[in-house]
Amino acid sequence: MPAVIFDLDGTLVDSEPLYYEAGRRTLERYGIAGFSWEEHTQFIGIGTRETLETLRERYGIEAPVEELLAVKNRHYLELAATTEIFPRMRAFVERLRAAGHPLVVASGSSRSAIETALKATGLDALLPVYVSAEDVGRGKPEPDVFLAAARLLAVDPGQCVVVEDSGPGVEAARRAGMRCIAVPYAGGPSPDGELFASAGLLFRGGQPEFDDRRAYEWATSGS
């Protein structure tokens, strides 16, 4: 019976607009105005730490990354109560849970951000186990967070299916030796990019096209 590893942001919950706003407010605090949604989309699928390291260098911000992380996390938590789950993803999680599949969330966000999003959407009752960016050394596209999730479940990576919305996440699943269902985030990078090519099942149209029954059949077929 395969284990299923869910990315959180953009996959289970529609939190990308909240992360964009948290990032915009963070940069604004340090005198950087005009951070656009288009710029934000360059970092979809990239961990918060890695994103802030890049932005810190790009804009010459002197504050240490740990400070930027704390500021952005605080802004995100102020917004997170409005997080919404993608309805067909809830159905998919419920279907897998009813069948007894091991489930875990593996995210590039902080523990507090994950806990808040899961609680806000009621997913904490269905997905109480998670791995955060604080639990691993490297973010996606490195496979660390997915391999840590497999260890937490005591499941071989080859018996895991990852559900992802981003190219870096799909690549991380490939490097971890796991099968992958890709549901590209609307407004993010094109699903025609090479990073999405290794997904075993690709819902090219994103969440509007996602079919929980088809995803379940593919995930459990071992194909």
Side-chain angles (χ1 to χ4, degrees):
M1 178 176 288
V4 181
I5 303 173
F6 286 92
D7 171 57
L8 180 64
D9 302 300
T11 299
L12 284 170
V13 300
D14 191 13
S15 54
E16 287 299 340
L18 307 184
Y19 272 106
Y20 161 66
E21 178 60 17
R24 188 194 67 77
R25 292 183 186 182
T26 299
L27 291 175
E28 193 172 68
R29 169 173 171 167
Y30 294 94
I32 310 301
F35 184 65
S36 68
W37 170 258
E38 288 70 26
E39 190 170 5
H40 170 78
T41 62
Q42 299 172 19
F43 300 100
I44 290 178
I46 304 297
T48 303
R49 175 180 290 276
E50 288 79 8
T51 296
L52 289 173
E53 286 174 345
T54 299
L55 291 173
R56 178 177 180 270
E57 182 176 352
R58 178 178 298 176
Y59 291 112
I61 299 172
E62 295 184 359
V65 170
E66 293 299 330
E67 179 180 320
L68 298 179
L69 278 167
V71 172
K72 184 174 182 179
N73 198 53
R74 184 166 64 250
H75 283 309
Y76 175 76
L77 294 178
E78 292 170 354
L79 300 163
T82 63
T83 306
E84 295 183 358
I85 186 173
F86 293 113
R88 298 319 307 169
M89 276 294 169
R90 182 187 290 276
F92 186 36
V93 172
E94 290 173 344
R95 187 185 295 272
L96 289 163
R97 186 175 175 84
H101 290 270
L103 306 177
V104 61
V105 171
S107 171
S109 295
S110 67
R111 295 187 192 97
S112 58
I114 295 169
E115 290 173 357
T116 301
L118 293 176
K119 184 176 181 179
T121 55
L123 280 172
D124 54 338
L126 298 171
L127 295 165
V129 181
Y130 63 84
V131 179
S132 76
E134 297 164 11
D135 300 316
V136 296
R138 302 175 298 175
K140 304 169 190 175
E142 299 301 331
D144 300 30
V145 72
F146 292 146
L147 294 174
R151 289 194 297 270
L152 187 62
L153 296 176
V155 176
D156 184 271
Q159 294 300 311
C160 295
V161 175
V162 169
V163 186
E164 261 287 351
D165 73 303
S166 72
V170 174
E171 174 63 11
R174 185 192 69 78
R175 295 183 188 182
M178 301 176 180
R179 295 191 297 139
C180 184
I181 298 171
V183 190
Y185 185 78
S190 169
D192 296 322
E194 63 180 41
L195 290 180
F196 281 99
S198 64
L201 178 61
L202 172 62
F203 290 93
R204 193 175 300 277
Q207 291 291 339
E209 184 183 300
F210 180 71
D211 182 331
D212 61 286
R213 184 181 298 275
R214 181 182 173 201
Y216 179 83
E217 291 174 352
W218 185 88
T220 58
S221 69
S223 61

